[in-house]
Amino acid sequence: MKLDVNVLRYLSKDDFRVLTAVEMGMRNHEIVPCELIDRIARLKHGGTYKVLKNLLKHKLVHHDSSKYDGFRLTYLGYDFLAIKTLVNRGIFNGVGRQIGVGKESDIFEVVKEDGTVLAMKLHRLGRVSFRAVKSKRDYLRHRSSYNWLYLSRLAALKEFAFMKALEEHGFPVPQAVDCNRHCVIMSLVPGYPLVQVRELQNPDVVFETIIAAVIRFAEHGLIHCDFNEFNIMIDDDEKVTIIDFPQMVSVSHPNAQMYFDRDVECIYKFFAKRYNMSFEENENDSDGLEVEIDEVGWPQFSEINKNSGFLDKELAASGFTRKDQDELEKLIEGELEKQSDSDDEGTADEEDEEDINNTNVKQLESLDLSKEDVNHQAGDDKHDDNHQVGDEHDPEEEEEEESEDDPELEKSLSKQRRKAIQAAHRGKRNFASRNTYKDKGGKSSQNSKVHKQLSGW
């Protein structure tokens, strides 16, 4: 969609108020109902529907009545909201020509009040040329549902953060000025994309500068992931500037080595094809390019010292988040403490285990002895019965004699008696349900009476 900023002259405060209301409603709705827009906008004298009709005329909103009557914000309306906010901040005063078109962004020139020219990048995710955002970018993270406008906003915020941090660490990147919604304002790079440059005075120097930048990114914990001739700017003095950062990942990403090798391979192949640079001694076939590159010193990801900086931690790059780092440190500290505690308190634990084992053995021995005593006494009783058939013995007297002889047996018998008494008392409990009290003279009460008669009450 073409950006025509002349429409901004004819938009009033009510128009922007209704546009903002539609944007707020899209947080929870794909299509915002008209009643909700009216409630959020709260225009003094009404007229929300009239304003929506004007916005629809300029294609700032889209009307959809398939399920219910509602509107959604278009990229042009989102552009106007971002531009209006940046103009109110005093970042720039005018929008110029379009200087670049990508698969996920458009770039325009903007002018400040003092005449300084800046670059404005508008992220436009969701184009037909690039819709595999969920599989190729990690903007969504754990979210399942998404909106293209919201994804564009996340991409802009991520690029602005990377650009600001890289600039502070001295990398050859544009100067980040400001960011709002899906719009990023940066300094204009005086030069051309490397893909448009046919000849170089010192291609070897430019090649070494670019490869050094890739290695330095990795040393600071980041990988560009789209490092090619389209994202490298070069001026008349052959000064290199790197652009496009929303897809950067951490060196701890599971596919970090693959991304690093791919970036390096793109640069090697481009310089070999465009500027006829030979990275091999024998140019017999095209398949030998990769082998000869390895022989002359292709940068190896495993050999790079990645301790120069930790920008991936500071910026929470993909593959390395602050939350994961904190959890990892806690786990490491916990394991170290457990190891130290186990070394210091190992003897105490062994002593406790020995005491427990000794007590268990004593308990088992006492149980065995009690059983032997009972069996022995039972055998003596049988022996006495066989030899003294004519004598009459009361069972109570025998129990008293046995209890006098063995105090442990007396304790076990008393416990058995208590258990038998408790079991007898439990059987006499009334288990009537609480519904019998509620139903007076009904079926439940009759059933309860029959139950009592059957149970012997």
Side-chain angles (χ1 to χ4, degrees), residues 48-113:
T48 303
Y49 295 94
K50 184 178 179 181
V51 174
L52 286 171
K53 185 178 180 181
N54 185 33
L55 297 176
L56 185 62
K57 176 184 175 182
H58 297 293
K59 298 182 180 179
L60 304 181
V61 294
H62 175 75
H63 179 253
D64 190 352
S65 60
S66 58
K67 296 181 179 179
Y68 53 84
D69 192 17
F71 293 84
R72 65 174 175 84
L73 202 64
T74 62
Y75 264 117
L76 187 59
Y78 208 45
D79 295 342
F80 280 16
L81 286 173
I83 291 172
K84 181 69 174 177
T85 304
L86 293 171
V87 170
N88 291 338
R89 292 179 184 176
I91 304 300
F92 59 87
N93 293 335
V95 180
R97 63 186 179 92
Q98 186 174 1
I99 59 176
V101 180
K103 63 180 182 297
E104 51 183 327
S105 63
D106 291 336
I107 303 173
F108 297 85
E109 287 183 347
V110 292
V111 183
K112 296 179 66 175
E113 188 176 0

Side-chain angles (χ1 to χ4, degrees), residues 330-350:
K330 288 179 181 178
L331 289 173
I332 294 172
E333 291 177 359
E335 290 178 357
L336 294 175
E337 289 178 358
K338 287 181 181 178
Q339 291 177 0
S340 61
D341 293 339
S342 62
D343 294 337
D344 297 337
E345 299 179 359
T347 56
D349 294 337
E350 291 175 359

Side-chain angles (χ1 to χ4, degrees), residues 206-365:
V206 176
F207 173 78
E208 292 177 358
T209 304
I210 294 172
I211 294 298
V214 177
I215 297 173
R216 193 178 172 202
F217 276 135
E219 290 176 349
H220 284 75
L222 295 173
I223 298 174
H224 192 278
C225 293
D226 196 14
F227 202 79
N228 50 42
E229 60 273 15
F230 298 95
N231 295 326
I232 299 174
M233 304 291 292
I234 188 167
D235 58 4
D236 296 334
D237 297 332
E238 296 186 352
K239 181 182 178 182
V240 175
T241 305
I242 303 167
I243 60 174
D244 195 11
F245 308 101
Q247 69 284 336
M248 295 189 79
V249 299
S250 170
V251 291
S252 59
H253 193 277
N255 300 325
Q257 184 173 358
M258 184 270 291
Y259 290 135
F260 179 82
D261 294 338
R262 187 179 67 179
D263 291 347
V264 174
E265 183 180 1
C266 287
I267 301 302
Y268 270 89
K269 286 185 176 180
F270 175 76
F271 274 84
K273 184 178 180 180
R274 175 65 62 86
Y275 304 111
N276 298 323
M277 293 182 62
S278 60
F279 305 102
E280 54 197 4
E281 297 178 358
N282 299 322
E283 299 180 356
N284 296 329
D285 51 358
S286 59
D287 296 334
L289 179 62
E290 297 180 358
V291 178
E292 298 300 330
I293 288 174
D294 290 337
E295 292 179 358
V296 297
W298 182 312
Q300 298 297 322
F301 181 75
S302 58
E303 298 177 357
I304 296 175
N305 184 13
K306 306 176 184 64
N307 297 324
S308 299
F310 300 97
L311 292 179
D312 55 344
K313 299 180 184 179
E314 296 177 5
L315 302 173
S318 175
F320 200 105
T321 60
R322 295 179 181 177
K323 184 178 180 180
D324 295 338
Q325 174 66 12
D326 295 338
E327 291 178 355
L328 183 61
E329 291 178 355
K330 288 179 181 178
L331 289 173
I332 294 172
E333 291 177 359
E335 290 178 357
L336 294 175
E337 289 178 358
K338 287 181 181 178
Q339 291 177 0
S340 61
D341 293 339
S342 62
D343 294 337
D344 297 337
E345 299 179 359
T347 56
D349 294 337
E350 291 175 359
E351 292 176 358
D352 294 338
E353 290 179 356
E354 290 178 358
D355 295 338
I356 292 169
N357 293 329
N358 292 330
T359 53
N360 292 331
V361 170
K362 290 179 181 178
Q363 290 176 358
L364 292 172
E365 290 176 355

